[in-house]
Amino acid sequence: MPEPSPTAPARSVNAVVDDGLLGPAGYGQLHRWTAPATARARAAELVAAHRGALREVVRNPHAEEDWAQALVRVPRLVNEVQRLIGASIAVENTFLVVKWPGRDFEVPWHQDGINDRLELDPLRAVTAWVALTDADLTTGCLHVVPGSQQGGYLPYEREFATGAARGRALGTRVSPPTRGVPVPVAAGSGVLMDTRLVHRSHSNQGDGARIGLNIRYVAPGGIRRRDGSNPSLHPISGSGW
Ligand SMILES: O=C(O)CCC(=O)C(=O)O
């Protein structure tokens, strides 16, 4: 994450709202939330656990699995999130993706902060995508559309049933069409994204599994409910929950 220069002029309130918490690009690197070897060791355990069934997706592992409960509380990650959205943070959702080599697993263009149940306030919520293995052009890293958060939340459509384990994604259309910008990330590092940033990922053409965990963090008041259901929040720090 670039540090603001002490001589840089302050951004106007409008720019802060339009650009969001991560500046004009809408995303930033999360350098080394853990050591690469530690991340790869965790990935090896996940591969061993899920290789038999070739499981591709685990929903909300932070609600049940010790390793994920610990991961969403890693100090380096929590500090970065708190720097962006304040001292009180909770996890609203996690989504583990295992891309097995050579298997078709495309994630279409989408935004993380909106679905049928809720809309996240982009100034009181942030996505952290953390890599447990190296993610690059070959293995299926994220691709983002820089600045797309400035367009706000876009209409989305639930894709046709494809039988994909990840379920039917809430895809959004990118106009004009673009290939986006690849964001390669080494194991143990990650990406912080505005909840409105449009992103996707391609299938893994490499030799080993590509594993990443998407974490949505919110601050108090950061969720607008759209269907009346109560979000399930796991407080990490602070009060107001
Ligand atoms: O891990 C991936 O490749 C994509 C995950 C993602 O975009 C998400 O969970 O929102």
Side-chain angles (χ1 to χ4, degrees):
M1 295 278 303
E3 290 295 325
S5 144
T7 55
R11 288 159 73 211
S12 74
V13 171
N14 278 348
V16 171
V17 172
D18 292 348
D19 289 347
L21 300 171
L22 288 146
Y27 69 103
Q29 296 284 335
L30 170 67
H31 186 59
R32 283 235 184 171
W33 55 271
T34 193
T38 307
R40 290 191 185 111
R42 173 65 55 210
E45 288 174 12
L46 290 167
V47 165
H50 297 305
R51 187 171 31 211
L54 284 184
R55 189 164 180 189
E56 294 180 314
V57 161
V58 181
R59 290 169 208 282
N60 289 314
H62 72 288
E64 292 184 359
E65 300 186 27
D66 290 348
W67 70 267
Q69 279 169 10
L71 198 163
V72 299
R73 289 176 171 77
V74 164
R76 172 95 179 92
L77 180 54
V78 166
N79 290 344
E80 282 297 317
V81 172
Q82 288 176 325
R83 196 171 64 76
L84 291 166
I85 62 174
S88 295
I89 64 169
V91 173
E92 182 268 316
N93 184 273
T94 56
F95 193 69
L96 180 76
V97 169
V98 183
K99 290 189 186 242
W100 299 101
R103 279 176 71 94
D104 181 24
F105 188 165
E106 299 277 328
V107 177
W109 291 124
H110 67 282
Q111 297 171 302
D112 284 344
I114 189 161
N115 57 43
D116 295 345
R117 289 183 298 108
L118 55 79
E119 180 179 311
L120 301 184
D121 176 346
L123 299 184
R124 287 185 282 188
V126 69
T127 293
W129 186 89
V130 299
L132 294 161
T133 59
D134 293 344
D136 54 29
L137 274 174
T138 306
T139 59
C141 64
L142 296 186
H143 284 62
V144 303
V145 183
S148 52
Q149 80 284 2
Q150 293 160 351
Y153 287 121
L154 302 169
Y156 61 80
E157 255 174 51
R158 197 171 289 280
E159 68 181 352
F160 290 116
T162 59
R166 62 173 163 70
R168 293 167 61 195
L170 302 180
T172 198
R173 231 179 275 275
V174 175
S175 176
T178 173
R179 299 166 70 91
V181 171
V183 187
V185 175
S189 287
V191 189
L192 292 162
M193 293 187 283
D194 190 294
T195 57
R196 301 163 296 181
L197 189 78
V198 178
H199 60 285
R200 72 175 174 187
S201 65
H202 295 305
S203 301
N204 177 0
Q205 312 291 343
D207 297 328
R210 194 237 68 182
I211 305 183
L213 181 70
N214 181 298
I215 312 165
R216 298 201 297 245
Y217 289 98
V218 295
I223 300 180
R224 186 171 79 78
R225 294 187 293 161
R226 301 184 72 206
D227 72 351
S229 66
N230 277 327
S232 166
L233 293 181
H234 288 249
I236 302 293
S237 62
S239 53
W241 303 112

